[in-house]
Amino acid sequence: MLLGASLVGALLFSKLVLKLPWTQVGFSLLLLYLGSGGWRFIRIFIKTVRRDVFGGLVLLKVKAKVRRYLRERQTVPTLFASTVQRHPDKTALIFEGTDTHWTFRQLDEYSSSVANFLQARGLASGDVAALFMENRNEFVGLWLGMAKLGVEAALINTNLRRDALLHCVTTSRARALIFGNEMAPAVCEIHANLEPSLSLFCSGSWQPSAVPASTEHLDPLLKGAPKHLPSRPDKGFTDKLFYIYTSGTTGLPKAAIVVHSRYYRMAALVYYGFRMRRDDIVYDCLPLYHSAGNIVGMGQCLLHGMTVVIRKKFSASRFWDDCIKYNCTIVQYIGELCRYLLNQPPRDSENQHQVRMALGNGLRQSIWTSFSSRFHIPQVAEFYGATECNCSLGNFDGQVGACGFNSRILSFVYPIRLIRVNEDTMELIRGADGVCIPCQPGEPGQLVGRIIQKDPLRRFDGYLNQGANNKKIAKDVFKKGDQAYLTGDVLVMDELGYLYFRDRTGDTFRWKGENVSTTEVEGTLSRLLDMADVAVYGVEVPGTEGRAGMAAVAIATNNCDLEHFAQVLEKELPLYARPIFLRFLPELHKTGTYKFQKTELRKEGFNPAIVKDPLFYLDTRKGFYVPLDQEAYTRIQAGEEKL
């Protein structure tokens, strides 16, 4: 009886709601039935049909809204205007650092003053302005004001320095750089190499001697600017909104294009998929220069009218106190933050909050249950989706450890797939017909999303640098003649279609909540070490999220001043990209295509009982590299050394 009702429901959903032909619906179900051994199909069907139908309805709801907004040429600013109209005096933003509260009306007026000021300074629709600032209310008001004028914001990672920072500013072709006073030293370092025509504005406390001579103090200029809504630019839903810089396999950061429809899609999918409410209060301690903090989190404020509490930086000791103080009901996380919270000693506040949902990605199965049970959080809303990707996932029913799912019975609704790859090189493995080979349950593979440019949920907007797009697009993936986006991430699917994340092992790895490009780090280290051969890879450390950076260097240790080397690295690379471990060896072996062979290096890790080459690790208390002996290795394994 239950099976019959479920089957009829899935068939009707596929035919009437998705408007798919009976032949496609029936053929897909027949293939799964035969391929799953009959009764196993029935078990899969019963366990997943409710999840899959709900996910399909969420996709349809978001897709319908996107199509409507495309027709109406809506933008994020126009959707925000509707939010302001609904409740102008409701609190929109709270900055924890100064306990500053902004209503929707105040955010609207501040952002309009930004637009009018920039327009008076000659910026127009299609121009770019770079934003280099730590989290606070003004960050949101600045890029939103730029969007009201049609100016595209380049949101720059505050960890970047020197070459990487200069690269992001110059390649964006920004006409103005707005930076927080806290970032003034970094701007001074690159000032001599910036275009003379670049306008510089500093927001925050004003110290003329601490900023480049041509810099203007932005805050009083905005107070004197008109607060009325400027004339609407000629922008539509698929036009550029801003750029988010993402590390990849090509070295320096790449500017991923975020169009208005992408911003809406990412925020709306989690809103509807995880059943959020407009009266929820979100605690956002993630950086606003990344999509998780600025789209998934902040999008709930701008598009759905929630109050968002902004914290400058994550604090494990203050986390639950903040949630209690501001009555937060949703907290954002990355897996590493959850581990930090679990490592804190128990305190009363962790049991006195009103948080009902933790929203984020990277929460591993090993600590998932401990996190939700200790802190009494009923719903863990885990999702997957890079800034530029077209194949976002959502774990809508709270399957422990999963980052999402791909329907086994309605696979034609979700144009995503795991395909076989060489996990070390990420090279695609193809069949005799040249088409990529799909993975079976239990088999790891790279997640890909079929590119359909006419479909607002499946289009690929890519990067500002068109050359970078080619490395993220593959042909003949689902079938001959198609194109798909390559995520670069290896996942595993279980029998029910749940997808589980595996740490990257190719040209990138994740550490401190950031993706680290091995190419970028290798180039920097090689330059600093007189062009020595350097292989960078990630190694697993017990009790930590992601992989710690390790560099194998083909020079003798007596040719390297490690204390000076650490000091130089501090200026050259952001904290998360600096190698934690160093290994010095006579030579590095290469493949036939001249790539370093990292598989064995990665397997050997940093255990001095296995590795006979000189090993060192970055002692955070001393600030430089010290020998890694068996005693130090034991402390690291036990979590007694802070990395």
Side-chain angles (χ1 to χ4, degrees), residues 207-227:
Q207 292 180 286
S209 61
V211 298
S214 58
T215 305
E216 297 180 73
H217 190 199
L218 181 65
D219 300 349
L221 296 172
L222 292 181
K223 286 182 180 178
K227 292 180 172 55

Side-chain angles (χ1 to χ4, degrees), residues 132 158-165 183 186 189 571-572:
F132 189 45
T158 54
N159 291 294
L160 299 180
R161 296 294 184 272
R162 298 196 174 185
D163 289 348
L165 175 57
M183 309 312 302
E189 286 182 337
K571 297 179 180 179
E572 293 283 344

Side-chain angles (χ1 to χ4, degrees), residues 439-464:
C439 295
Q440 297 303 312
E443 185 178 18
Q446 181 175 185
L447 179 67
V448 299
R450 179 181 290 171
I451 296 174
I452 307 173
Q453 287 301 111
K454 293 182 180 179
D455 185 335
L457 299 185
R458 299 300 166 193
R459 56 179 287 148
F460 175 63
D461 299 299
Y463 304 98
L464 189 59

Side-chain angles (χ1 to χ4, degrees), residues 257-543:
I257 298 170
V258 177
V259 299
H260 294 263
S261 61
R262 177 172 293 276
Y263 189 99
Y264 174 80
R265 173 178 67 84
M266 292 178 70
L269 282 173
V270 299
Y271 178 81
Y272 293 111
F274 294 119
R275 298 179 174 91
M276 295 180 178
R277 302 189 287 258
R278 293 186 185 274
D279 61 352
D280 277 319
I281 299 175
V282 180
Y283 185 68
D284 190 347
C285 58
L286 303 181
L288 294 178
Y289 54 73
H290 275 343
S291 55
N294 200 13
I295 303 179
V296 176
M298 196 54 60
Q300 308 313 325
C301 169
L302 304 182
L303 302 175
H304 300 120
M306 293 186 198
T307 299
V308 174
V309 179
I310 300 173
R311 206 181 203 285
K312 184 169 72 171
K313 290 182 180 179
F314 167 77
S315 169
S317 62
R318 290 291 309 166
F319 191 91
W320 299 114
D321 291 329
D322 288 346
C323 291
I324 293 169
K325 179 178 179 179
Y326 298 110
N327 300 312
C328 297
T329 58
I330 297 175
V331 295
Q332 286 193 265
Y333 70 84
I334 56 174
E336 184 180 23
L337 304 191
C338 298
R339 198 178 288 276
Y340 287 153
L341 290 171
L342 282 170
N343 289 338
Q344 287 284 301
R347 62 190 72 204
D348 292 340
S349 57
E350 67 186 46
N351 299 311
Q352 297 170 350
H353 59 79
Q354 300 178 47
V355 174
R356 66 177 186 85
M357 180 191 302
L359 170 69
N361 53 66
L363 182 57
R364 296 295 180 264
Q365 195 164 5
S366 59
I367 64 169
W368 183 300
T369 303
S370 299
F371 177 78
S372 61
S373 61
R374 172 177 166 179
F375 301 122
H376 308 288
I377 300 178
Q379 182 181 5
V380 175
E382 174 86 7
F383 65 89
Y384 170 91
T387 303
E388 71 280 14
C389 84
N390 68 339
C391 48
S392 301
L393 306 172
N395 182 354
F396 295 150
D397 58 349
Q399 174 72 10
V400 173
C403 61
F405 69 94
N406 189 23
S407 175
R408 303 289 314 282
I409 60 175
L410 299 174
S411 57
F412 41 82
V413 180
Y414 305 89
I416 63 174
R417 181 173 290 178
L418 293 187
I419 57 173
R420 292 185 187 175
V421 292
N422 180 317
E423 285 194 62
D424 287 323
T425 64
M426 297 304 287
E427 181 181 358
L428 306 181
I429 298 174
R430 298 178 180 272
D433 58 356
V435 176
C436 292
I437 302 174
C439 295
Q440 297 303 312
E443 185 178 18
Q446 181 175 185
L447 179 67
V448 299
R450 179 181 290 171
I451 296 174
I452 307 173
Q453 287 301 111
K454 293 182 180 179
D455 185 335
L457 299 185
R458 299 300 166 193
R459 56 179 287 148
F460 175 63
D461 299 299
Y463 304 98
L464 189 59
N465 176 3
Q466 290 299 313
N469 292 334
N470 298 330
K471 301 191 178 195
K472 299 298 289 185
I473 297 176
K475 296 181 179 179
D476 304 332
V477 177
F478 290 76
K479 63 181 181 179
K480 277 287 188 181
D482 70 358
Q483 289 188 322
Y485 165 78
L486 304 173
T487 64
D489 285 320
V490 176
L491 281 72
V492 178
M493 180 177 67
D494 67 14
E495 187 181 50
L496 299 180
Y498 290 106
L499 294 161
Y500 301 85
F501 186 81
R502 282 163 60 108
D503 285 327
R504 301 177 185 213
T505 57
D507 289 329
T508 59
F509 59 90
R510 195 166 180 84
W511 182 247
K512 299 291 185 184
E514 297 276 359
N515 293 332
V516 180
S517 164
T518 61
T519 309
E520 178 184 356
V521 179
E522 285 169 352
T524 301
L525 297 186
S526 179
R527 173 169 53 82
L528 296 177
L529 297 171
D530 298 323
M531 305 311 292
D533 281 344
V534 179
V536 174
Y537 45 96
V539 292
E540 294 186 62
V541 180

Side-chain angles (χ1 to χ4, degrees), residues 522 525-526 529-537 550-560 565 582-590 596 601 613-614:
E522 285 169 352
L525 297 186
S526 179
L529 297 171
D530 298 323
M531 305 311 292
D533 281 344
V534 179
V536 174
Y537 45 96
M550 184 165 185
V553 185
I555 61 172
T557 55
N558 56 9
N559 291 337
C560 181
F565 178 64
L582 297 178
R583 174 179 179 175
F584 292 91
L585 66 176
E587 65 175 329
L588 285 169
H589 300 292
K590 297 181 180 179
F596 293 122
L601 294 172
D613 301 314

Side-chain angles (χ1 to χ4, degrees), residues 586-631:
E587 65 175 329
L588 285 169
H589 300 292
K590 297 181 180 179
T591 66
T593 55
Y594 301 100
K595 292 183 177 180
F596 293 122
Q597 293 180 339
K598 301 180 183 180
T599 304
E600 287 304 313
L601 294 172
R602 191 182 295 114
K603 287 180 180 177
E604 292 172 352
F606 56 95
N607 187 348
I610 298 174
V611 179
K612 301 309 177 185
D613 301 314
L615 292 171
F616 297 83
Y617 74 100
L618 186 58
D619 189 321
T620 55
R621 291 169 296 184
K622 296 179 180 178
F624 55 85
Y625 291 93
V626 298
L628 175 57
D629 55 20
Q630 194 63 45
E631 183 181 345

Side-chain angles (χ1 to χ4, degrees), residues 184-254:
V187 175
C188 288
E189 286 182 337
I190 65 168
H191 178 243
N193 296 312
L194 293 172
E195 287 289 333
S197 60
L198 181 71
S199 300
L200 299 177
F201 302 100
C202 178
S203 176
S205 63
W206 179 242
Q207 292 180 286
S209 61
V211 298
S214 58
T215 305
E216 297 180 73
H217 190 199
L218 181 65
D219 300 349
L221 296 172
L222 292 181
K223 286 182 180 178
K227 292 180 172 55
H228 62 76
L229 186 68
S231 299
R232 181 175 174 177
D234 184 21
K235 289 273 191 178
F237 212 40
T238 55
D239 286 321
K240 295 174 185 174
L241 174 60
F242 53 56
Y243 307 112
I244 286 180
Y245 287 85
T246 175
S247 296
T249 60
T250 58
L252 292 167
K254 300 175 298 185

